[in-house]
Amino acid sequence: MDALIKPIRPNKPTDAKPGELDPAEFMAAAVRADQPRPSRAEAEDAVKTLLAYIGENTGREGLLDTPRRVVEAYDELYQGYHQCPAEVLNRTFGETAGYDDFVLVRDIEFTSQCEHHMMPFYGKAHIAYTPVERVVGLSKLARLTDIFARRLQTQEHLTAQVAAAIDEVLKPRGVAVLIEAEHTCMSVRGVAKHGASTFTSRFTGMFRDNPAEQQRFLSLVRGPNR
């Protein structure tokens, strides 16, 4: 099975239409090497300030290492800022025996952080695309989801970014993305409606233009026991 590494072109002129995402804004890592950032010590001091703000005694034993732990957790939770979505999708394979139907990966679990309250939302992503001659490794769709999820997000933006990245790099005949998630910013605070699910979708190409293909995608996602 032959593999092809496509060139990454972060400076490619955008041809995004009004209302569509500009690939230049999300296809590369979000954090540049020359971007000024606070030091780790400054970040830990910020955590200590927040602990004091809520009324905690930052000098008590249980909280002495909390600033360090929080910053380390941030390094993990937000690692998507340092990862490049294009690199994940650039390795493709051409040995498909002429396969011309769509490829669906269902139930990709993810956790992200709401950019409005910095509280988690979590759920599953379902992703399909109809390849043109070449396909991408199945795990890459899950990795792509994680890259975008491990940034501050809204569910709507996350859905659009995943679909647009696949569309931009793989150039398939169509992409379908459905995300279902529970948001702790509405389940554990505010209206406190535990168990409420939010669904977002994005369709391009043949999935957007052909309602029958949309329905077939949705039927496979739901499955016989859902």
Side-chain angles (χ1 to χ4, degrees), residues 77-99:
L77 293 173
Y78 299 112
Q79 61 185 278
Y81 283 105
H82 303 275
Q83 297 172 328
C84 178
E87 289 181 352
V88 170
L89 297 175
N90 269 306
R91 183 182 175 90
T92 60
F93 301 92
E95 194 174 276
T96 62
Y99 184 83

Side-chain angles (χ1 to χ4, degrees), residues 114-163:
C114 167
E115 66 182 34
H116 299 144
H117 300 96
M118 295 186 71
M119 296 183 68
F121 67 95
Y122 54 90
K124 296 179 179 179
H126 316 284
I127 302 171
Y129 73 101
T130 305
V132 177
E133 296 182 354
R134 305 187 69 83
V135 298
V136 70
L138 298 178
S139 67
K140 306 305 183 184
L141 299 180
R143 291 183 185 277
L144 178 71
T145 302
D146 278 344
I147 288 176
F148 288 126
R150 290 182 179 273
R151 303 178 182 184
L152 289 176
Q153 283 286 13
T154 65
Q155 185 174 330
E156 296 87 348
H157 198 214
L158 173 62
T159 306
Q161 284 182 322
V162 171

Side-chain angles (χ1 to χ4, degrees), residues 36-52 58 63-75 78 82 118:
R37 298 172 60 202
S39 67
R40 178 171 289 270
E42 290 172 323
E44 292 182 6
D45 284 343
V47 175
K48 193 172 182 179
T49 297
L50 288 174
L51 289 171
T58 59
L63 294 179
L64 289 179
D65 283 337
T66 295
R68 174 185 58 79
R69 293 189 187 104
V70 170
V71 172
E72 288 176 353
Y74 269 38
D75 288 340
Y78 299 112
H82 303 275
M118 295 186 71

Side-chain angles (χ1 to χ4, degrees), residues 205-219:
M206 58 174 287
F207 290 102
R208 178 192 58 220
D209 301 333
N210 188 338
E213 287 301 288
Q214 276 191 38
Q215 186 55 49
R216 194 157 70 95
F217 164 75
L218 294 171
S219 295

